[in-house]
Amino acid sequence: MRTGTPSPQKPARNLMKPLLQNLQGHATARPPVWLMRQAGRYLPEYRALRAKAKNFIAFCLDPELATEVTLQPVRRFGMDAAILFADILLVPHALGQSVAFVENEGPKLDPIRNAAALAQLSDARFAETLSPVMQTIKRVRAALPDTVALIGFAGAPWTVATYMIEGEGGTDYERTRAMAWSEPALFSAVIDRITAATISYLMAQIEAGAEALQLFDSWAGAVPAPLFDTAVIEPTKRIVSALKAKHPAIPIIGFPRAAGSHVARYAALTGVDAVGIDHMTDLTAAVMPDGIAVQGNLDPVLLLHGGAAMEREVRGLVAAMAGKPFVFNLGHGVMQPTPPEHVARLVALVKGAA
Ligand code: 1CP
């Protein structure tokens, strides 16, 4: 062995984790693969554990159950990353807003539509409420194989704000957009409140052992174009720079879903290390600033149906992205009726074993 070269017996930890290598701008022989919503109701072993918790928030805040659910898809499919099992609405819950997940209806919150309601939020129990999440992260890290990375996450401020202001999902975000247009000071105060909480939540996730982070801006596509900077780019940039100031080596994936024409500016201005691309956008044509990785973007419906169309598209995407920093994922989450065998087939295809 030549002197001066690092010992081959002791590679830096992240050299063993293809996810982290790609997020740091280095392509690997085959892309790493994980899927948004890889844990969830499409897995029978998830449904079995879900039945043990009294409600969804209690489920997320039970370190034993949340650890097990986080590990389930890694064990079953050999994913290259685990994503912490939690939810973006734990942040409003921990700020004291009333949040409930109603069976078959989705989340219901006591909406915040004026300064008085905003002033009711409190940091007093924030860290304590979320401390079970940090326990989950520690347990998952201890259980993961050396090649598998743990992704922590939070909702981006705009997306979390839509739930906090509307009080539910599945809307056209009319109230949120109205507030952003006609009460800009109140809207900014809501965004600032979420931004500050998200920074402390993600800081704690890193300190507990998260090795990469994803910011889910699932409803970024609903932001009126003239407001995109104030609602999406600026708060995301503030979160990224606060985290990078303390933890520069932790890569951050931004997922501005359906943001279309804004994606290039988002990639250039927010400071994220990787951008998640939805299935409405041509990922192979996405022009990223130097060193920025892309993640995505198979249509979840192709995974639901499987078969020849899925195989062709998976192979095509892997071939088109060869040699570039790339993380294989869907364009949005796994759909509930998806057969687990299709997920197994997808992972085998990406890993080149099929
Ligand atoms: O009862 C159940 O089992 C509820 C289903 C479920 C699950 C499995 C919800 C309710 N949340 C989750 C887990 C979850 N949520 C994860 C876990 C990790 C993984 O990906 O495996 C993550 C990352 C999230 C993030 C999340 N929650 C997002 C962003 C991602 C996305 O899908 O766009 C959003 C928008 C939510 C809100 C949410 N959580 C759950 C529901 C039903 C909703 C509302 C969705 C809507 O408004 O359409």
Side-chain angles (χ1 to χ4, degrees), residues 34-41 46 50 56 59-60 83-89 101 103 106-107 153 159 163 168-170 173 216 218-219 255 257 332-333:
W34 71 278
L35 305 178
M36 292 184 275
R37 293 281 176 105
Q38 65 188 19
R41 287 187 181 268
Y46 172 90
R50 175 73 179 82
F56 184 68
F59 190 40
C60 291
I83 179 157
L84 167 69
F85 187 79
D87 196 84
I88 65 167
L89 300 181
F101 286 84
E103 205 65 30
F153 75 92
T159 289
Y163 290 97
E168 60 190 352
Y173 317 104
F216 284 91
S218 302
W219 314 129
F255 179 48
R257 184 174 164 274
H332 201 188

Side-chain angles (χ1 to χ4, degrees), residues 74-311:
V74 176
R75 279 199 205 107
R76 189 197 258 252
F77 305 114
M79 300 293 182
D80 293 306
I83 179 157
L84 167 69
F85 187 79
D87 196 84
I88 65 167
L89 300 181
L90 292 183
V91 165
H93 168 73
L95 288 172
Q97 188 172 11
S98 147
V99 181
F101 286 84
V102 181
E103 205 65 30
N104 303 320
E105 282 186 47
K108 301 283 172 206
L109 299 83
D110 257 354
I112 291 177
R113 297 191 188 143
N114 53 47
L118 179 62
Q120 296 276 302
L121 298 180
S122 163
D123 287 327
R125 306 201 53 193
F126 186 79
E128 179 195 338
T129 304
L130 294 171
S131 69
V133 173
M134 310 313 150
Q135 292 306 315
T136 302
I137 290 174
K138 288 182 186 143
R139 289 181 187 215
V140 172
R141 270 303 294 277
L144 281 179
D146 281 348
T147 53
V148 181
L150 174 59
I151 304 170
F153 75 92
W158 162 263
T159 289
V160 175
T162 65
Y163 290 97
M164 292 175 74
I165 296 167
E166 305 291 331
E168 60 190 352
T171 67
D172 198 19
Y173 317 104
E174 194 184 318
R175 290 191 172 91
T176 312
R177 284 151 58 205
M179 188 193 286
W181 282 123
S182 57
E183 295 178 275
L186 177 60
F187 177 72
S188 288
V190 173
I191 291 286
D192 289 354
R193 197 76 174 81
I194 302 167
T195 301
T198 303
I199 291 169
S200 77
Y201 181 42
L202 291 176
M203 206 72 93
Q205 290 189 26
I206 295 172
E207 281 153 17
E211 298 171 283
L213 299 171
Q214 177 152 324
L215 277 169
F216 284 91
D217 221 341
S218 302
W219 314 129
V223 179
L227 300 179
F228 196 81
D229 279 35
T230 46
V232 173
I233 291 187
E234 283 164 18
T236 301
K237 187 176 171 184
R238 267 150 60 203
I239 294 170
V240 173
S241 55
L243 296 170
K244 294 278 179 191
K246 249 187 147 175
H247 301 285
I250 301 291
I252 302 173
I253 308 163
F255 179 48
R257 184 174 164 274
S261 60
H262 302 291
V263 169
R265 287 185 66 250
Y266 178 99
L269 297 177
T270 56
V272 296
D273 301 274
V275 180
I277 306 286
D278 56 66
H279 47 280
M280 295 79 82
T281 305
D282 181 357
L283 175 146
T284 61
V287 178
M288 290 290 133
D290 258 1
I292 297 206
V294 286
Q295 170 176 286
N297 76 339
L298 191 82
D299 184 352
V301 166
L302 278 174
L303 180 62
L304 172 67
H305 293 292
M310 177 182 95
E311 309 236 339

Side-chain angles (χ1 to χ4, degrees), residues 40-43 47 300-301 303-306 333-343:
R41 287 187 181 268
Y42 76 103
L43 286 178
R47 296 194 296 270
V301 166
L303 180 62
L304 172 67
H305 293 292
V334 177
M335 296 166 72
Q336 197 188 313
T338 301
E341 309 75 62
H342 294 181
V343 178

